Amino acid sequence: MHSFTYTAYPARVVFGAGALQHLAREIDALGARRALVLCTPEQVDAARRVAELLGERAAGIFPGAVMHVPIEIARAARAEARRLGADCAVAIGGGSTTGLGKAIALDSELPLLAIPTTYAGSEMTSIYGLTEGAVKTTGRDARVLPRTVIYDPELTLTLPLGMSVTSGLNAIAHAAEGLYAHDGNPITALMAEEGLRAFAAALPMLARDPRDLDARGDALYGAWLCGCVLGAVAMGLHHKLCHTLGGSFNLPHAEVHAVILPHALAYNAAHAPGAMARIARALGVSDAARGVFDLATALGAPTSLRAIGMPADGLERAADLAATTPYPNPRPLERAALRALLQRAFDGAVPQG
Ligand code: NAD
């Protein structure tokens, strides 16, 4: 008998093609009357559509969301919400826009309604991040959890294929690490396996036709489940390596995830056989690490750190950093093995335990 603790987060989810049409109803259900709509500068058209649907419930649009939620942007958005008398925020976009909504909710307790348009999964977590100067601080706080999430696959039709693939692999990484998390449980494992299955089916279909609405629906469903896993359990080696490489060598976040995941899985494989069996089953392959590597390769995702700007002379320092900070992981952190992992990832070699 496996004893565990599971916290379910109480978001209301409205899912389906065209679900955006329920927005005004959902704002009313929150008991709110004036929504500040948040977006990136690139998604102003989508935000305008949201404001139109809201009609008199729209207080205004704040189109200033950017990566990593700089504190000055968060302050400007909070000031704008106060100035306009907004009593809720609607974030339409990816993790950066949801992150801005979370920063507002953290300070003001304004309820947040999220409309995700990528597969990042932030809308399902109570994790927030704020960047001051060059330093990003992350934390968990139940106040930042969106109260309502509208998943409308039609809104993801414009997500470019390359971003769909890397965002999908990022979500796959949350589910895969969730399956061997020290604080995982049977419920998060169900969500993780189903999320992996949904992405394994959807991503190859999207590679053939990025406007396939059924595949977009499957991918967004997978994103929801993988986001739940990220919100519920601790991540391990893969995420630690990605943060180390992204932070210390300024490599692109989503691409680093795509390169590292097969190698992190191979490193952990012998120490987490049950998780590997579930990942492999969800992907319909015999080996989890090789299956993820082959999927990423077939989808045209980057498979080597060299190709995404990692300097060869940074591998020793990356191995030091990865080996020295303690964090939960099925296999103990062995510097020589981590260095070998990084070399294979640098070269784009097939994963090996
Ligand atoms: P993003 O939100 O930064 O979006 C990247 C770009 O894609 C933006 O220009 C955006 O406007 C555009 N875009 C988004 N959806 C689009 C669509 N459907 N069509 C066309 N363009 C679209 O990217 P992301 O990967 O979703 O989020 C990354 C950020 O989210 C990172 O800062 C990461 O740390 C954070 N994140 C946080 C959590 C959490 O739980 N707190 C979870 C995952 C990611």
Side-chain angles (χ1 to χ4, degrees):
M1 177 74 190
H2 177 185
S3 301
F4 59 90
T5 304
Y6 168 61
T7 305
Y9 291 108
R12 173 176 162 90
V13 171
V14 181
F15 192 104
L20 185 63
Q21 65 183 304
H22 302 304
L23 178 60
R25 179 192 80 190
E26 293 303 320
I27 294 293
D28 291 346
L30 283 175
R33 303 173 70 88
R34 283 175 67 73
L36 178 63
V37 182
L38 310 171
C39 65
T40 62
E42 294 80 21
Q43 285 182 287
V44 173
D45 286 348
R48 284 208 189 100
R49 202 177 141 217
V50 163
E52 268 165 36
L53 281 167
L54 286 171
E56 61 187 16
R57 297 176 187 82
I61 295 176
F62 184 89
V66 292
M67 273 286 246
H68 303 312
V69 198
I71 187 92
E72 48 291 355
I73 304 262
R75 286 189 185 125
R78 289 165 185 164
E80 187 67 347
R82 270 195 302 276
R83 188 182 73 76
L84 294 168
D87 61 1
C88 74
V90 171
I92 177 152
S96 298
T97 308
T98 307
L100 180 60
K102 288 176 162 183
I104 296 176
L106 184 65
D107 180 61
S108 63
E109 302 201 22
L110 239 55
L112 173 63
L113 184 151
I115 308 170
T117 62
T118 70
Y119 308 132
S122 171
E123 68 283 353
M124 281 296 140
T125 82
S126 61
I127 306 165
Y128 65 88
L130 279 169
T131 305
E132 189 155 15
V135 182
K136 183 167 180 175
T137 326
T138 57
R140 283 183 188 260
D141 193 309
R143 285 176 299 176
V144 307
L145 194 74
R147 297 267 292 276
T148 307
V149 179
I150 297 181
Y151 285 110
D152 185 341
E154 287 179 2
L155 301 172
T156 61
L157 290 172
T158 50
L159 190 66
L161 179 61
M163 276 183 60
S164 302
V165 167
T166 48
S167 189
L169 288 167
N170 192 188
I172 284 176
H174 299 147
E177 288 227 295
L179 279 165
Y180 55 59
H182 72 98
D183 52 356
N185 61 67
I187 310 305
T188 51
L190 279 177
M191 292 192 283
E193 192 173 336
E194 176 70 353
L196 289 170
R197 189 207 55 74
F199 271 116
L203 290 176
M205 289 168 73
L206 288 178
R208 283 192 290 278
D209 177 9
R211 295 194 62 83
D212 181 331
L213 191 57
D214 285 335
R216 287 289 183 187
D218 273 354
L220 202 56
Y221 167 65
W224 168 15
L225 296 172
C226 294
C228 289
V229 176
L230 172 67
V233 302
M235 296 287 106
L237 173 68
H238 168 75
H239 280 78
K240 191 71 198 172
L241 279 177
C242 290
H243 288 152
T244 301
L245 292 166
S248 306
F249 303 96
N250 202 22
L251 304 183
H253 174 85
E255 285 80 355
V256 177
H257 273 274
V259 174
I260 292 294
L261 184 61
H263 301 283
L265 293 181
Y267 182 93
N268 281 331
H271 293 252
M276 297 302 149
R278 291 187 83 151
I279 297 167
R281 184 166 67 190
L283 300 183
V285 297
S286 57
D287 179 80
R290 187 59 200 252
V292 172
F293 183 80
D294 290 345
L295 179 66
T297 306
L299 293 169
T303 49
S304 89
L305 291 177
R306 189 200 322 257
I308 59 170
M310 177 75 190
D313 62 6
L315 293 172
E316 293 295 336
R317 185 155 71 92
D320 287 341
L321 290 168
T324 46
T325 332
Y327 48 90
N329 189 61
R331 177 174 170 187
L333 305 173
E334 298 157 21
R335 195 204 177 273
L338 289 170
R339 177 66 182 82
L341 179 167
L342 286 165
Q343 189 66 48
R344 276 192 296 278
F346 183 78
D347 294 335
V350 293
Q352 254 173 53

Short mmCIF file of all heavy atoms in Angstrom, two decimals, residues 265-293:
data_model
loop_
_atom_site.label_atom_id
_atom_site.label_comp_id
_atom_site.label_asym_id
_atom_site.label_seq_id
_atom_site.Cartn_x
_atom_site.Cartn_y
_atom_site.Cartn_z
N LEU A 265 16.58 11.51 -18.69
CA LEU A 265 15.83 10.26 -18.47
C LEU A 265 16.78 9.06 -18.49
O LEU A 265 16.66 8.15 -17.66
CB LEU A 265 14.75 10.10 -19.55
CG LEU A 265 13.59 11.11 -19.51
CD1 LEU A 265 12.59 10.81 -20.62
CD2 LEU A 265 12.89 11.10 -18.16
N ALA A 266 17.73 9.07 -19.42
CA ALA A 266 18.68 7.95 -19.50
C ALA A 266 19.51 7.88 -18.21
O ALA A 266 19.77 6.79 -17.69
CB ALA A 266 19.60 8.14 -20.70
N TYR A 267 19.90 9.04 -17.69
CA TYR A 267 20.68 9.08 -16.44
C TYR A 267 19.91 8.42 -15.31
O TYR A 267 20.46 7.67 -14.50
CB TYR A 267 20.98 10.54 -16.10
CG TYR A 267 21.83 10.75 -14.86
CD1 TYR A 267 23.22 10.87 -14.96
CD2 TYR A 267 21.24 10.83 -13.60
CE1 TYR A 267 24.00 11.07 -13.83
CE2 TYR A 267 22.01 11.02 -12.46
CZ TYR A 267 23.39 11.14 -12.58
OH TYR A 267 24.15 11.33 -11.45
N ASN A 268 18.60 8.67 -15.25
CA ASN A 268 17.78 8.18 -14.14
C ASN A 268 17.18 6.79 -14.38
O ASN A 268 16.62 6.20 -13.45
CB ASN A 268 16.63 9.16 -13.87
CG ASN A 268 17.10 10.37 -13.06
OD1 ASN A 268 18.04 10.27 -12.28
ND2 ASN A 268 16.45 11.51 -13.26
N ALA A 269 17.30 6.29 -15.61
CA ALA A 269 16.50 5.12 -16.01
C ALA A 269 16.59 3.94 -15.04
O ALA A 269 15.57 3.41 -14.59
CB ALA A 269 16.89 4.68 -17.42
N ALA A 270 17.82 3.53 -14.68
CA ALA A 270 17.97 2.32 -13.86
C ALA A 270 17.46 2.54 -12.44
O ALA A 270 17.19 1.58 -11.72
CB ALA A 270 19.44 1.92 -13.83
N HIS A 271 17.31 3.80 -12.03
CA HIS A 271 16.87 4.10 -10.67
C HIS A 271 15.36 4.39 -10.59
O HIS A 271 14.85 4.63 -9.50
CB HIS A 271 17.65 5.29 -10.10
CG HIS A 271 19.10 4.98 -9.91
ND1 HIS A 271 19.66 4.82 -8.66
CD2 HIS A 271 20.09 4.75 -10.81
CE1 HIS A 271 20.94 4.52 -8.81
NE2 HIS A 271 21.23 4.48 -10.10
N ALA A 272 14.70 4.40 -11.73
CA ALA A 272 13.26 4.69 -11.73
C ALA A 272 12.57 3.83 -12.80
O ALA A 272 11.94 4.35 -13.72
CB ALA A 272 13.02 6.18 -11.99
N PRO A 273 12.70 2.48 -12.67
CA PRO A 273 12.19 1.63 -13.75
C PRO A 273 10.67 1.74 -13.94
O PRO A 273 10.18 1.68 -15.08
CB PRO A 273 12.59 0.22 -13.31
CG PRO A 273 12.93 0.32 -11.85
CD PRO A 273 13.36 1.73 -11.59
N GLY A 274 9.93 1.94 -12.85
CA GLY A 274 8.47 2.04 -12.97
C GLY A 274 8.08 3.28 -13.79
O GLY A 274 7.21 3.21 -14.68
N ALA A 275 8.73 4.40 -13.50
CA ALA A 275 8.45 5.65 -14.24
C ALA A 275 8.80 5.46 -15.71
O ALA A 275 8.04 5.87 -16.60
CB ALA A 275 9.23 6.81 -13.64
N MET A 276 9.95 4.82 -15.96
CA MET A 276 10.39 4.65 -17.36
C MET A 276 9.39 3.78 -18.13
O MET A 276 9.09 4.04 -19.29
CB MET A 276 11.79 4.03 -17.42
CG MET A 276 12.87 4.88 -16.81
SD MET A 276 13.01 6.53 -17.57
CE MET A 276 13.55 7.49 -16.16
N ALA A 277 8.87 2.76 -17.45
CA ALA A 277 7.91 1.87 -18.12
C ALA A 277 6.64 2.66 -18.48
O ALA A 277 6.08 2.47 -19.57
CB ALA A 277 7.56 0.70 -17.20
N ARG A 278 6.23 3.55 -17.60
CA ARG A 278 5.01 4.33 -17.89
C ARG A 278 5.26 5.33 -19.01
O ARG A 278 4.39 5.56 -19.86
CB ARG A 278 4.51 5.04 -16.63
CG ARG A 278 3.97 4.04 -15.60
CD ARG A 278 3.33 4.72 -14.43
NE ARG A 278 1.95 5.10 -14.71
CZ ARG A 278 0.99 5.18 -13.79
NH1 ARG A 278 1.27 4.90 -12.53
NH2 ARG A 278 -0.23 5.56 -14.12
N ILE A 279 6.43 5.97 -19.00
CA ILE A 279 6.74 6.92 -20.08
C ILE A 279 6.76 6.18 -21.42
O ILE A 279 6.17 6.61 -22.41
CB ILE A 279 8.10 7.63 -19.83
CG1 ILE A 279 8.04 8.45 -18.55
CG2 ILE A 279 8.48 8.50 -21.02
CD1 ILE A 279 9.41 8.93 -18.03
N ALA A 280 7.45 5.02 -21.42
CA ALA A 280 7.56 4.25 -22.67
C ALA A 280 6.18 3.81 -23.14
O ALA A 280 5.85 3.89 -24.34
CB ALA A 280 8.48 3.04 -22.44
N ARG A 281 5.34 3.36 -22.20
CA ARG A 281 3.98 2.91 -22.57
C ARG A 281 3.20 4.07 -23.19
O ARG A 281 2.53 3.91 -24.20
CB ARG A 281 3.27 2.40 -21.33
CG ARG A 281 1.90 1.82 -21.60
CD ARG A 281 1.40 1.03 -20.41
NE ARG A 281 1.13 1.89 -19.26
CZ ARG A 281 0.87 1.45 -18.03
NH1 ARG A 281 0.89 0.15 -17.78
NH2 ARG A 281 0.63 2.28 -17.05
N ALA A 282 3.31 5.25 -22.58
CA ALA A 282 2.56 6.41 -23.09
C ALA A 282 3.03 6.80 -24.49
O ALA A 282 2.24 7.25 -25.32
CB ALA A 282 2.71 7.59 -22.13
N LEU A 283 4.33 6.64 -24.73
CA LEU A 283 4.88 7.04 -26.04
C LEU A 283 4.76 5.90 -27.06
O LEU A 283 5.02 6.11 -28.25
CB LEU A 283 6.35 7.43 -25.91
CG LEU A 283 6.71 8.60 -24.98
CD1 LEU A 283 8.20 8.89 -25.03
CD2 LEU A 283 5.93 9.86 -25.34
N GLY A 284 4.41 4.71 -26.59
CA GLY A 284 4.30 3.56 -27.50
C GLY A 284 5.67 3.08 -27.99
O GLY A 284 5.83 2.69 -29.15
N VAL A 285 6.67 3.12 -27.09
CA VAL A 285 8.04 2.70 -27.46
C VAL A 285 8.55 1.73 -26.39
O VAL A 285 7.92 1.55 -25.36
CB VAL A 285 8.99 3.92 -27.55
CG1 VAL A 285 8.55 4.87 -28.65
CG2 VAL A 285 9.07 4.66 -26.21
N SER A 286 9.74 1.15 -26.64
CA SER A 286 10.25 0.20 -25.65
C SER A 286 11.21 0.86 -24.66
O SER A 286 11.45 0.32 -23.58
CB SER A 286 10.94 -0.98 -26.36
OG SER A 286 11.96 -0.46 -27.19
N ASP A 287 11.77 2.01 -25.00
CA ASP A 287 12.73 2.67 -24.11
C ASP A 287 12.37 4.15 -23.99
O ASP A 287 12.28 4.86 -25.01
CB ASP A 287 14.16 2.50 -24.66
CG ASP A 287 15.18 3.19 -23.77
OD1 ASP A 287 15.55 2.60 -22.74
OD2 ASP A 287 15.57 4.33 -24.07
N ALA A 288 12.16 4.62 -22.75
CA ALA A 288 11.66 5.98 -22.54
C ALA A 288 12.61 7.04 -23.10
O ALA A 288 12.21 7.92 -23.88
CB ALA A 288 11.43 6.22 -21.05
N ALA A 289 13.89 6.95 -22.71
CA ALA A 289 14.84 7.99 -23.11
C ALA A 289 15.00 8.02 -24.64
O ALA A 289 14.95 9.09 -25.27
CB ALA A 289 16.19 7.74 -22.45
N ARG A 290 15.16 6.83 -25.21
CA ARG A 290 15.34 6.74 -26.67
C ARG A 290 14.06 7.21 -27.38
O ARG A 290 14.10 7.87 -28.42
CB ARG A 290 15.70 5.30 -27.05
CG ARG A 290 16.07 5.10 -28.50
CD ARG A 290 17.27 5.99 -28.85
NE ARG A 290 17.37 6.20 -30.28
CZ ARG A 290 18.30 5.64 -31.05
NH1 ARG A 290 19.23 4.87 -30.53
NH2 ARG A 290 18.33 5.89 -32.34
N GLY A 291 12.90 6.88 -26.78
CA GLY A 291 11.62 7.28 -27.37
C GLY A 291 11.49 8.80 -27.42
O GLY A 291 11.05 9.37 -28.43
N VAL A 292 11.88 9.49 -26.34
CA VAL A 292 11.80 10.95 -26.32
C VAL A 292 12.80 11.54 -27.32
O VAL A 292 12.49 12.49 -28.04
CB VAL A 292 12.05 11.50 -24.89
CG1 VAL A 292 12.16 13.01 -24.90
CG2 VAL A 292 10.93 11.07 -23.95
N PHE A 293 14.00 10.95 -27.37
CA PHE A 293 15.02 11.43 -28.31
C PHE A 293 14.52 11.29 -29.76
O PHE A 293 14.61 12.23 -30.55
CB PHE A 293 16.30 10.61 -28.12
CG PHE A 293 17.45 11.05 -28.98
CD1 PHE A 293 18.23 12.14 -28.63
CD2 PHE A 293 17.78 10.36 -30.15
CE1 PHE A 293 19.30 12.55 -29.42
CE2 PHE A 293 18.84 10.75 -30.95
CZ PHE A 293 19.61 11.86 -30.58
#
